[in-house]
Amino acid sequence: QVQLVESGGGLVQAGGSLRLSCVFSGGTFSTYTMAWFRQAPGEERECVAGISWSGRSTYFAEFVKGRFTISRDIAANTVYLQMNSLKPEDTAIYYCAARVGPITTTEARFATWGQGTQVTVSS
């Protein structure tokens, strides 16, 4: 069974940075498209960023372009989300997701999810 474990969340002041990590196990990491979603209290889950199995294609939501970077380390079976210039509206639980197929922002297309890691940005 493919499993994902996120870490790296925490409390940070506006303008600060965090790096989230997602460790993949139970499958062949290099064949999976990976993505990060987030969900704020009372809001629907939304896609933040995605990266193809090859690492050659990426997606970023408009609200994080220029601030966040997604990357993957095949040897470490890990996908990262580097978050810079954080804003209070970035406060949410961040989830790692995996699927076999192209990058998509549709959460239903992702078969495997991590448990989430809380990111809180103070003003």
Side-chain angles (χ1 to χ4, degrees), residues 5-83:
V5 180
E6 303 101 328
S7 63
L11 175 64
V12 65
Q13 293 185 350
S17 298
L18 286 172
R19 188 179 73 161
L20 306 184
S21 299
C22 173
V23 178
F24 175 106
S25 63
T28 303
F29 181 55
S30 60
T31 67
Y32 281 78
T33 290
M34 305 296 296
W36 289 94
F37 290 74
R38 71 186 188 187
Q39 188 167 23
E43 303 293 332
E44 295 185 348
R45 191 169 298 183
E46 61 185 353
C47 187
V48 176
I51 186 166
S52 66
W53 64 267
S54 68
R56 294 193 294 268
S57 298
T58 58
Y59 163 83
F60 297 97
E62 192 66 32
F63 52 84
V64 303
K65 283 184 177 178
R67 299 190 296 124
F68 291 9
T69 300
I70 189 170
S71 61
R72 65 193 300 165
D73 184 335
I74 300 300
N77 283 2
T78 303
V79 62
Y80 302 97
L81 185 68
Q82 178 66 48
M83 304 185 294

